[in-house]
Amino acid sequence: MTRIDNGVDAALLAQIHQLYGRQSHLIDGGSARAWAETFTPDGEFCSPSYPAPVCGTDDLEAFAGRFYVTAAEAGEVHRHVVTNVAVDRVDDDTLRARAYLQIVATARGGQSRLVRFTTIDDLLVQLEGSWLIHRRTVTRDDA
């Protein structure tokens, strides 16, 4: 297989892209529990857009649920757009992935607008054959 970068082959890179694609569809579609389960059971989501880190499956589920409900109450559909994914192997069971994340809101029957443009920096671990996010750190471009 062709090596992409630092021990990450094309098949592994495709798995990580699938993880990010699935994550985006889950949170945007209101599947909060399934989105939370893309993190490790003790996973963390850290973002300056929110007052404190969100930790653990139950809190991650509640966070994703609020995200979806808030958009719906505003009469909007929100979409996560992940691009420019760069993956490096830390060790056999750990990866570091960095990517750009845009959140786009579209008012029902109206225009789309960019809510925010961020960079995500993820530590992923392999558990029981699946890659899961252990810690996501979000950095806003205006920071």
Side-chain angles (χ1 to χ4, degrees):
M1 290 203 162
T2 304
R3 292 280 176 193
I4 302 297
D5 187 25
N6 193 19
V8 178
D9 63 29
L12 179 54
L13 186 58
Q15 288 178 33
I16 302 310
H17 274 264
Q18 283 293 98
L19 170 63
Y20 287 140
R22 189 171 72 251
Q23 251 200 340
S24 296
H25 286 280
L26 290 170
I27 195 168
D28 294 341
S31 298
R33 185 67 182 192
W35 179 83
E37 290 173 346
T38 64
F39 287 80
T40 60
D42 61 345
E44 295 180 36
F45 179 93
C46 306
S47 171
S49 298
Y50 303 99
V54 181
C55 303
T57 304
D58 291 340
D59 287 345
L60 288 163
E61 177 183 9
F63 168 83
R66 284 190 305 274
F67 179 87
Y68 183 79
V69 167
T70 299
E73 287 175 347
E76 296 179 333
V77 174
H78 287 191
R79 298 287 185 233
H80 287 72
V81 182
V82 179
T83 62
N84 297 50
V85 178
V87 181
D88 294 301
R89 186 175 288 284
V90 175
D91 59 39
D92 286 345
D93 295 318
T94 310
L95 302 172
R96 178 182 182 208
R98 291 166 293 134
Y100 297 143
L101 169 64
Q102 300 170 61
I103 300 176
V104 178
T106 303
R108 296 195 184 277
Q111 298 293 315
S112 296
R113 66 182 166 79
L114 181 64
V115 175
R116 57 187 157 266
F117 196 103
T118 64
T119 300
I120 57 175
D121 191 340
D122 289 347
L123 187 64
L124 297 101
V125 297
Q126 192 171 35
L127 292 176
E128 299 175 11
S130 295
W131 288 99
L132 301 173
I133 297 167
H134 178 64
R135 181 181 175 97
R136 169 166 290 166
T137 303
V138 178
T139 304
R140 290 174 54 120
D141 276 4
D142 62 353

